[in-house]
C-alpha cells in the first residue's frame, strides 16, 4: 500500500496561527533540564521537564534549547528493568506530538469533517475518556487534559516515575488558578484512581508495557472506559509495531461498548533506508499492518517538516524534508 494516497492536498495542515512552542533551560541542584512549553487555546501555558531538546517539535523562529556537551548526563535509568533505547527516546518531545496537539485542539477551517467531529469530542463538556500509549514526558495527554478531556497517560515505568508524574504535578500547579466555574467535572472520575485536575480536565499516569497482558496492568474499569486511544511517534522501530497494535487490539475489545478510535501520529523516517527498511518502521509498513488486522484507516492531517539526513556511506548530513501524519484507525463496522 503506497502512503502517497494519504497526502491529498485537502488534508495538508499548515502550521496553526496562534499556537507556539519554545524551550528554556532550567538548572536545579546542578542538574540541567530542558523545559518544553506550549500555549493552550486559552493562552495559558503548559510545560514539561525533558532531559534533551526536542526533535522536530519547534517551527520557524521558535526558541530552542541548546545543551553543552557537559550538560548531557549519563542516563541514570540505563539499567532499569524493561528499559531500552526506545524507552530512552521518551525523555524528549518529537515531531508527531506537535501536529497531534494542533490537529485535535486548534481547529482550522480546512479541516476534514471527521477531524472536526473528533475536535468536538475532545472539548466535550462531559470529558472524553482517553488513554495515551507511549506518552514519553506526557505532553499530548497533559495538553488534552488541560482543554477538558480525562486522560490515562501510560508508558514504561521508568518514564512514569521519572517524568510523567512530576510533569503532571508541575502543570496541576501552573493551571490551579483556573476558575472552578470553567471546570465541568469538579471531582476525579473513578477510573482515574489518583487523578490530578489539569486545567479543565483530569489526568492520571500508570505504567503500561505493550509486551505484557493488558489485564495484568490496568484495572477492569480503566480498560473498559476508553473512548479514544492516542499514540504519538511511538513506532519508529519496526520491532515495536506488533506489540503496540496488540495493545490497541486489546483495548478495542475491553472498551468495545464505547467503540473507541485510535489516533496515531507518525513521521516518515524511511528516507534513508527506503521503503524496505528493516530497522525503521515505514509509513507503508504501518498501513499494511493496519489492513492485516482488518482495521480501517483514514488520514486526518499531514504536514511537511524539515529534517536532517545522514548519508549512510559518507556520514555527511544534509537538509531534507519529510512528512508527518495523523491517522485515525478503527475496527471495521460489524466486526465481532
Amino acid at each position: 500500500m503506497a502512503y502517497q494516497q494519504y497526502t491529498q492536498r485537502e488534508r495538508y495542515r499548515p502550521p496553526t496561527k496562534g499556537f507556539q512552542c519554545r524551550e528554556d533551560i532550567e538548572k536545579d541542584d546542578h542538574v540541567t533540564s530542558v523545559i518544553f512549553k506550549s500555549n493552550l487555546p486559552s493562552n495559558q501555558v503548559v510545560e514539561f521537564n525533558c532531559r534533551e531538546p526536542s526533535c522536530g517539535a519547534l517551527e520557524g523562529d521558535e526558541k530552542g534549547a541548546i545543551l553543552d556537551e557537559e550538560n548531557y548526563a549519563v542516563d541514570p535509568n540505563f539499567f532499569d528493568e524493561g528499559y531500552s533505547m526506545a524507552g530512552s527516546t521518551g525523555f524528549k518531545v518529537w515531531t508527531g506530538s506537535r501536529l497531534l496537539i494542533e490537529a485535535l485542539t486548534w481547529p482550522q477551517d480546512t479541516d476534514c469533517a471527521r477531524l472536526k467531529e473528533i475536535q468536538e469530542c475532545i472539548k466535550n463538556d462531559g470529558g472524553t475518556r482517553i488513554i495515551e500509549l507511549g506518552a514519553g514526558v506526557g505532553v499530548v495527554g497533559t495538553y488534552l487534559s488541560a482543554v477538558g478531556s480525562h486522560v490515562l497517560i501510560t508508558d514504561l515505568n521508568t518514564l512514569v516515575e521519572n517524568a510523567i508524574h512530576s510533569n503532571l504535578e508541575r502543570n496541576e500547579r501552573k493551571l490551579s488558578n483556573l476558575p472552578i466555574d470553567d471546570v465541568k467535572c469538579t471531582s476525579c472520575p473513578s477510573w482515574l484512581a489518583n487523578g490530578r485536575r489539569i486545567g479543565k480536565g483530569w489526568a492520571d499516569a500508570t505504567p503500561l508495557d505493550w509486551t505484557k497482558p493488558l489485564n495484568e496492568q490496568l484495572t477492569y474499569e480503566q480498560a473498559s472506559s476508553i473512548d479514544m486511544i492516542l499514540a504519538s511517534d511511538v513506532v519508529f522501530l519496526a520491532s515495536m509495531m506488533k506489540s503496540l497494535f496488540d495493545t490497541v487490539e486489546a483495548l478495542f475489545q475491553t472498551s468495545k461498548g464505547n467503540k473507541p478510535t485510535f489516533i496515531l501520529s507518525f513521521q516518515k523516517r524511511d528516507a534513508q533506508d527506503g521503503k524496505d527498511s528493516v530497522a525503521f518502521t515505514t509509513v507503508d509498513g504501518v498501513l499494511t499492518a493496519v489492513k492485516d488486522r482488518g482495521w480501517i484507516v483514514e488520514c486526518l492531517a499531514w504536514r511537511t517538516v524539515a529534517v536532517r539526513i545522514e548519508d549512510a556511506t559518507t556520514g555527511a548530513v544534509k537538509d531534507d524534508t519529510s512528512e508527518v501524519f495523523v491517522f485515525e484507525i478503527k475496527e471495521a463496522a460489524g466486526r465481532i
Side-chain angles (χ1 to χ4, degrees):
M1 177 184 298
Y3 77 90
Q4 286 87 350
Q5 67 177 291
Y6 291 96
T7 55
Q8 307 105 314
R9 193 66 200 173
E10 61 269 22
R11 299 295 167 92
Y12 179 80
R13 204 172 200 273
T16 303
K17 184 178 180 180
F19 178 72
Q20 294 183 323
C21 301
R22 61 174 286 167
E23 292 171 340
D24 293 324
I25 297 291
E26 182 176 278
K27 293 190 176 183
D28 183 23
D29 294 331
H30 307 292
V31 176
T32 301
S33 301
V34 174
I35 308 300
F36 182 87
K37 301 180 179 182
S38 59
N39 65 304
L40 299 168
S42 63
N43 284 326
Q44 292 174 295
V45 174
V46 286
E47 59 183 46
F48 304 88
N49 189 313
C50 310
R51 289 185 181 169
E52 298 181 25
S54 61
C55 182
L58 301 178
E59 296 184 350
D61 58 358
E62 292 176 342
K63 177 188 173 185
I66 299 176
L67 293 183
D68 297 331
E69 188 172 329
E70 63 185 29
N71 289 324
Y72 278 94
V74 175
D75 190 339
N77 304 110
F78 186 79
F79 294 105
D80 286 5
E81 183 180 356
Y83 195 54
S84 64
M85 184 192 78
S88 68
T89 63
F91 285 101
K92 65 166 69 176
V93 183
W94 295 84
T95 309
S97 296
R98 181 186 186 118
L99 181 58
L100 188 56
I101 287 171
E102 286 189 46
L104 296 181
T105 64
W106 288 78
Q108 294 185 4
D109 291 341
T110 55
D111 288 336
C112 67
R114 177 55 184 156
L115 180 53
K116 290 179 179 178
E117 289 177 2
I118 295 171
Q119 291 164 351
E120 287 298 316
C121 289
I122 293 293
K123 67 179 184 180
N124 175 13
D125 288 346
T128 299
R129 297 166 299 181
I130 297 172
I131 186 169
E132 184 182 6
L133 307 178
V137 297
V139 172
V140 175
T142 305
Y143 197 103
L144 294 183
S145 299
V147 299
S149 294
H150 304 326
V151 188
L152 182 61
I153 304 175
T154 72
D155 208 313
L156 297 174
N157 184 66
T158 297
L159 283 147
V160 171
E161 294 299 324
N162 295 281
I164 299 173
H165 275 319
S166 59
N167 281 326
L168 284 176
E169 182 180 359
R170 186 183 193 110
N171 286 290
E172 180 183 38
R173 292 195 309 268
K174 282 193 64 66
L175 302 178
S176 62
N177 61 347
L178 186 71
I180 196 67
D181 290 345
D182 291 345
V183 180
K184 303 301 181 183
C185 183
T186 56
S187 59
C188 180
S190 62
W191 71 285
L192 297 177
N194 300 300
R196 297 176 180 271
R197 183 164 73 85
I198 310 293
K200 295 182 178 181
W202 292 84
D204 194 8
T206 192
L208 184 61
D209 184 333
W210 306 337
T211 66
K212 298 177 180 179
L214 190 72
N215 62 3
E216 295 179 4
Q217 303 178 83
L218 300 183
T219 67
Y220 174 78
E221 187 177 15
Q222 288 171 332
S224 62
S225 296
I226 305 304
D227 299 312
M228 189 178 296
I229 307 162
L230 296 180
S232 175
D233 263 343
V234 296
V235 286
F236 64 96
L237 293 177
S239 59
M240 303 165 66
M241 187 159 56
K242 180 182 183 302
S243 56
L244 170 67
F245 281 4
D246 285 347
T247 300
V248 171
E249 186 150 30
L251 288 165
F252 277 162
Q253 294 306 309
T254 56
S255 286
K256 199 171 189 67
N258 307 325
K259 298 181 179 179
T261 187
F262 176 36
I263 311 295
L264 172 71
S265 71
F266 182 79
Q267 182 187 335
K268 177 176 176 285
R269 290 187 172 89
D270 47 303
Q272 178 176 315
D273 295 338
K275 66 180 183 179
D276 297 320
S277 172
V278 174
F280 295 101
T281 306
T282 65
V283 183
D284 287 349
V286 171
L287 297 174
T288 298
V290 169
K291 294 292 186 180
D292 287 347
R293 298 215 178 213
W295 299 341
I296 56 177
V297 59
E298 179 180 1
C299 178
L300 300 174
W302 68 279
R303 179 181 298 166
T304 301
V305 294
V307 296
R308 305 197 76 194
I309 302 296
E310 180 178 343
D311 187 282
T313 303
T314 66
V317 177
K318 66 176 182 178
D319 294 330
D320 204 342
T321 59
S322 184
E323 296 86 28
V324 59
F325 299 86
V326 174
F327 293 117
E328 180 183 25
I329 299 167
K330 299 187 291 186
E331 286 191 300
R335 185 181 178 191
I336 300 176

